[in-house]
Amino acid sequence: MPIAVSALLYAARARGDWRSADRSSAGLLPDPRTHRQALVRVFSARTVSWRGILATHAWIVVKEEGAGTYSRFDYTAWGRPIWIDRFVPDGRWFGSVPETVVGLDGAEAAAAIPRIRAVIAGYRYAAPGDYTVWPGPNSNTFVAAVMAAVPEMRASLPATAIGKDFPYDGRWFGPTPSGTGVRLNLGGYLGLTLGWVEGVELNILGAVAGFDLRRPAVKLPAIGRLGF
């Protein structure tokens, strides 16, 4: 039923060709030339064309203290999978306005950025052809791996982030990315997550259902989070 509702919402939206879709700034970031503090953001937006019925795409933006520009990191199926500054940092993802999943500023961001860059530099699925839409490793797997290296982010990717549960570290059982719980993961096809930040999540073939304990809400496949 959630997937059917999401499909109806998709059908009701006006849309054109994805190649000409709006990718301009959504106005979610301050001007880096005047915002001198370090900054880290994780954004997520509905993905391209009909796949947006089911899934979202996540990416990472960082700025060191005093830097005049942002650095954006995406993991895609095009060429070498890790793309740097290919898109506007807070740009619409082919027409879809992103939501902010993580926001770190100042000293917290400054401490996190070296770890973020180290994970990206050493990411194990960085070769051409490594990207796999389903069950992963995909863009959400990449961002989940970065978030696991910075547990003080204390956030979880949306339930619609298909691929976030793919075992990027090769372990089928271990801590959640936030470090506040445990996760059983059968190759991204089936899994169970129990954590204070992640809540309770059941993953069946990449579709996630569950509920949020910390901020009461229900998580539904295709729809995402419904609650506070």
Side-chain angles (χ1 to χ4, degrees), residues 30-203:
D31 186 336
R33 295 167 297 181
T34 58
H35 185 85
R36 308 306 292 169
Q37 288 187 331
L39 178 148
V40 172
R41 294 290 186 271
V42 173
F43 292 119
S44 179
R46 289 283 170 176
T47 195
V48 182
S49 69
W50 63 268
R51 293 183 291 278
I53 294 171
L54 301 171
T56 49
H57 166 79
W59 67 93
I60 304 155
V61 175
V62 304
K63 185 185 82 69
E64 283 80 0
E65 183 175 0
T69 59
Y70 292 108
S71 296
R72 171 172 169 165
F73 301 92
D74 291 80
Y75 188 83
T76 75
W78 313 315
R80 295 197 65 85
I82 298 177
W83 288 63
I84 303 174
D85 297 334
R86 176 64 177 82
F87 306 100
V88 176
D90 60 350
R92 294 164 175 83
W93 188 244
F94 296 91
S96 297
V97 176
E99 65 169 303
T100 302
V101 178
V102 169
L104 299 180
D105 293 279
E108 274 192 314
I113 289 172
R115 282 177 284 162
I116 290 171
R117 290 191 178 277
V119 172
I120 292 171
Y123 191 56
R124 67 188 298 179
Y125 300 109
D130 282 346
Y131 181 99
T132 303
V133 173
W134 177 84
N138 60 21
S139 65
N140 298 312
T141 312
F142 171 70
V143 174
V146 171
M147 292 174 68
V150 190
E152 57 265 42
M153 286 183 176
R154 296 188 65 79
S156 178
L157 287 174
T160 50
I162 292 174
K164 72 182 182 68
D165 293 326
F166 182 84
Y168 49 81
D169 55 4
R171 295 187 297 176
W172 287 20
F173 180 79
T176 61
S178 72
T180 63
V182 294
R183 178 169 65 184
L184 174 65
N185 189 330
L186 303 180
Y189 297 101
L190 184 68
L192 178 65
T193 298
L194 303 171
W196 177 239
V197 170
E198 289 81 5
V200 177
E201 294 184 349
L202 177 64
N203 171 10

Side-chain angles (χ1 to χ4, degrees), residues 10 13-22 48-50 94-95:
Y10 171 80
R13 289 194 296 267
R15 58 191 184 276
D17 190 284
W18 65 269
R19 287 165 292 192
S20 59
D22 185 4
V48 182
S49 69
W50 63 268
F94 296 91

